Amino acid sequence: MNMLRPRRRINPVYLAFMAVSFMIGVAGALQAPTLSLFLTREVAVRPFWVGLFYTVNAIAGIAVSILLAKRSDNRGDRRMLILFCCVMATGNALLFAFNRDYLTLITFGVLLSALASVSMPQIFALAREYADSSAREVVMFSSVMRAQLSLAWVIGPPLSFALALNYGFTTMFTIAAGLFVVCFALIWFALPSVARVEPSPEVLSAQISAWKNKDVRLLFIASLLMWTCNTMYIIDMPLYITSVLGLPDRLAGLLMGVAAGLEIPAMLLAGHLVKRVGKRKMMLFAVAAGVLFYLGLVLFQSRIALMALQIFNAVFIGIVAGIGMLYFQDLMPGRPGAATTLFTNSISTGVILAGILQGALAETFGHYSVYWAALLLAIASLAMSAKVKDV
């Protein structure tokens, strides 16, 4: 008779988390890939000012997320904070749709963007709390959620370039704003509020000493360097392939979409294997793939080579984005919001360095020098990652 028992239904809350991750991912993937082109062509600024914009945006994001991360772990409804961030994201997209003044964008626009950027780490922190409270398998739950972001980046970059080049940046940013409105509705009606669990004395002790932990510091620096490489590539690549290699604009969106599509199986496979292999070995494998990717960018410039290299890029980002976040959470027990924010702040700090380096290198030595710098930073990240303990 047990064989006739109906299969367990898919949890609607689980589906809601997947849908929210996907929708916010699509909205972000519409805006980010063409931002350097938007600033160059629509706002008409030099490469240095493009890099500076990324840097200021990242600094503001770090400052805001640090202020909100501790509060989100200790008090208040995390869901309400996510809803507030979606409102800010909508306002930010509309500002970019109808404004072309650099000073306004780098001040008011950056403030809105910083508040909006808190949404994703808070969604993942809420998902971790929900998975813990409902006895769901945390690694796979997080990996499948992260796969939604990769799926969004399969769709987003090609669509972003198609909309921006064929219908204009105003249309593209307005559609992004509409997607954030849909996200707001999904969060309001479908995501749960998870009650806070009082941490044990052992966990409280770990919270106090988290940043004093050598492994947390090493992982932060390694992750920072990884995301510096990745962001330098994202900022520079659309400009590099058009102005240096003479390849079509749309290839940039295609490369980003292919990489994101390949990230999904890499991420899901990593989530499946991590219990057997361990987070440290998975991270080392991912960063080694990143080293090969940037080495390939230095050595090869053809369209076919750039497309083939996305395999290494996908392994690199797919594993780091999923396992890296869990690595921080496991090194900082009882603080999912702070740990996830520390991970995202390593991304934001990487963006700061990337904005400065890409802008300065591209303007002083040309776009090709950016990829030599990325290769050296990837090697340094691999060395740092090798010193972090397994958990």
Side-chain angles (χ1 to χ4, degrees), residues 133-269:
S133 67
S134 60
R136 288 193 167 270
E137 213 288 308
V138 171
V139 174
M140 277 308 298
F141 184 35
S142 179
S143 295
V144 174
M145 271 188 68
R146 185 60 184 77
Q148 304 309 305
L149 293 184
S150 294
L151 180 59
W153 274 78
V154 174
I155 298 167
L159 182 59
S160 175
F161 280 90
L163 288 171
L165 296 174
N166 295 323
Y167 302 99
F169 285 94
T170 297
T171 300
M172 189 265 291
F173 282 115
T174 302
I175 290 173
L179 288 172
F180 281 118
V181 172
V182 175
C183 290
F184 182 95
L186 281 170
I187 295 163
W188 181 269
F189 291 108
L191 289 195
S193 294
V194 180
R196 293 287 189 272
V197 178
E198 279 296 316
S200 66
E202 294 80 7
V203 168
L204 284 172
S205 175
Q207 289 181 8
I208 295 169
S209 60
W211 185 247
K212 296 179 181 178
N213 186 327
K214 179 190 66 151
D215 294 295
V216 172
R217 293 198 306 272
L218 284 171
L219 183 59
F220 180 86
I221 296 169
S223 182
L224 181 159
L225 295 176
M226 296 173 205
W227 294 106
T228 300
C229 300
N230 182 63
T231 308
M232 286 171 67
Y233 167 74
I234 290 174
I235 297 172
D236 196 79
M237 187 266 289
L239 306 173
Y240 173 63
I241 65 169
T242 55
S243 63
V244 177
L245 302 184
L247 297 171
D249 289 343
R250 287 174 178 79
L251 179 61
L254 183 60
L255 290 174
M256 292 183 186
V258 167
L262 294 172
E263 279 175 26
I264 296 173
M267 192 176 302
L268 295 177
L269 187 60

Side-chain angles (χ1 to χ4, degrees), residues 10-21 122-149 190-192 194 267-268 270-272 274-275 321-323 325-326 329:
I10 296 175
N11 189 331
V13 177
Y14 179 91
L15 292 179
F17 273 111
M18 300 302 118
V20 169
S21 300
Q122 290 301 318
I123 287 169
F124 275 94
L126 182 63
R128 176 72 186 247
E129 289 174 337
Y130 174 74
D132 287 339
S133 67
S134 60
R136 288 193 167 270
E137 213 288 308
V138 171
V139 174
M140 277 308 298
F141 184 35
S142 179
S143 295
V144 174
M145 271 188 68
R146 185 60 184 77
Q148 304 309 305
L149 293 184
L191 289 195
V194 180
M267 192 176 302
L268 295 177
H272 179 71
V274 69
K275 282 191 173 180
I323 302 302
M325 182 179 65
L326 295 173
Q329 290 177 346

Side-chain angles (χ1 to χ4, degrees), residues 345-382:
N345 279 349
S346 73
I347 301 175
S348 299
T349 309
V351 172
I352 294 171
L353 290 178
I356 295 170
L357 287 172
Q358 185 277 334
L361 288 170
E363 192 155 306
T364 306
F365 302 106
H367 292 283
Y368 186 63
S369 65
V370 172
Y371 303 99
W372 272 108
L375 173 60
L376 294 175
L377 291 176
I379 293 170
S381 177
L382 182 60

